[in-house]
Amino acid sequence: MQTSVPVHFPLKLVGRRMLAPTVAHLSFVRDDGQPLDFVPGQFVQVHFTYADGTATRRSYSLATIHDHAIGPGEAVEIAVSYVPGGAATAMFEGLDQGDCIDASGPYGRFCLMPTDANRRYLLIGTGTGVTPYRSMLPLLEKAMAERGVEVVLLFGARTPEELLYGDEFRAFAEAHPNFRFLPCFSREMPAPGSAQDHADVRHGYVQNFLEEFAPSADTDIAYLCGNPNMVDACFEVLKERGLPVPQIRREKYVSSK
């Protein structure tokens, strides 16, 4: 896996839409005329200062969908959770179209590896922890076409309105028989007969449904991203099923103000 050396660059806001009541999808382009060469699953850091002038930074996984076979692209897309009273939230909410922020990256190794020879990927995420999986869709499509890999995406949300990118993942699953999308709602289920009400919806936490897929060291590589408690719980389930640690790739999201 090739990764470029992280560098600082300005990002210009070009689009904003709400994915959920407290989560925004923000679209940027590099304002220095350069592309961002990244591997799906990596993240960028946004640099800013607190009110007292103290420098700080926040990390955001790239949600950008891009065909990397044609070269690096300009788009930089992230999902941002708005935290009441949060310094980063205030900074992002104060951005107007065309405004710039300071960023650096890409960072991280939470990526699909070219040497992977597994028969199945188990992708498990909660909240904005699902964003790297959105970015991985073109590579997963290629892996399914070239080596027949199967993919299961278990995505945990509290309610249907908090299912980030749910329509996109569902459409991808309908177009790709080897890709299965299972939304797991911990608090509120979709209304009967609604677009989000289908056979693969589950009621409960994602870790409660791992056993349904009989994880195996012989077939699976698992990715865990999101709430630290979920990551730890799923990690234990997968270890109990015999998956060696190198076949369990983890990234924890810790909320901070």
Side-chain angles (χ1 to χ4, degrees), residues 35-231:
L36 181 68
D37 191 9
F38 74 97
V39 179
Q42 291 189 301
F43 63 92
V44 294
Q45 290 188 331
V46 172
H47 302 257
F48 62 103
T49 57
Y50 290 122
D52 64 1
T54 304
T56 188
R57 60 192 177 186
R58 298 287 185 274
S59 299
Y60 298 95
S61 288
L62 289 156
T64 315
I65 295 178
H66 178 70
D67 183 358
H68 292 261
I70 64 174
E74 293 183 343
V76 177
E77 300 178 10
I78 59 175
V80 174
S81 293
Y82 287 168
V83 179
T89 296
M91 184 268 294
F92 282 119
E93 287 187 325
L95 284 181
D96 292 324
Q97 291 266 16
D99 286 351
C100 288
I101 57 175
D102 180 39
S104 65
Y107 304 98
R109 298 184 61 83
F110 188 73
C111 307
L112 303 174
M113 300 297 177
T115 55
D116 287 346
N118 55 309
R119 296 203 297 273
R120 183 173 64 174
Y121 285 113
L122 298 174
L123 310 180
I124 302 134
T126 54
T128 53
V130 81
T131 55
Y133 304 142
R134 181 181 190 258
S135 182
M136 290 176 185
L137 289 178
L139 290 183
L140 292 168
E141 185 175 46
K142 183 180 179 183
M144 288 186 288
E146 293 183 352
R147 59 187 185 92
V149 71
E150 296 181 2
V151 183
V152 176
L153 172 56
L154 282 160
F155 179 21
R158 292 180 299 180
T159 67
E161 67 178 357
E162 295 179 359
L163 192 71
L164 311 183
Y165 308 112
D167 291 345
E168 295 181 37
F169 289 124
R170 179 83 189 280
F172 190 85
E174 290 176 348
H176 300 84
N178 276 18
F179 185 94
R180 193 169 172 192
F181 175 47
L182 288 94
C184 304
F185 297 108
S186 60
R187 293 189 183 177
E188 178 187 319
M189 291 289 281
S194 67
Q196 289 187 325
D197 180 32
H198 54 90
D200 273 339
V201 169
R202 300 290 185 271
H203 187 200
Y205 296 109
V206 289
Q207 56 264 35
N208 299 337
F209 302 103
L210 264 179
E211 290 285 357
E212 182 179 333
F213 297 94
S216 168
D218 296 330
T219 58
D220 297 327
I221 292 176
Y223 285 75
L224 311 175
C225 190
N227 180 283
N229 293 331
M230 177 279 292
V231 170

Side-chain angles (χ1 to χ4, degrees), residues 230-249:
M230 177 279 292
V231 170
D232 290 343
C234 289
F235 183 69
E236 291 305 317
V237 170
L238 292 166
K239 281 203 305 181
E240 289 172 6
R241 293 289 307 199
L243 264 73
V245 172
Q247 288 173 226
I248 309 173
R249 300 166 183 170

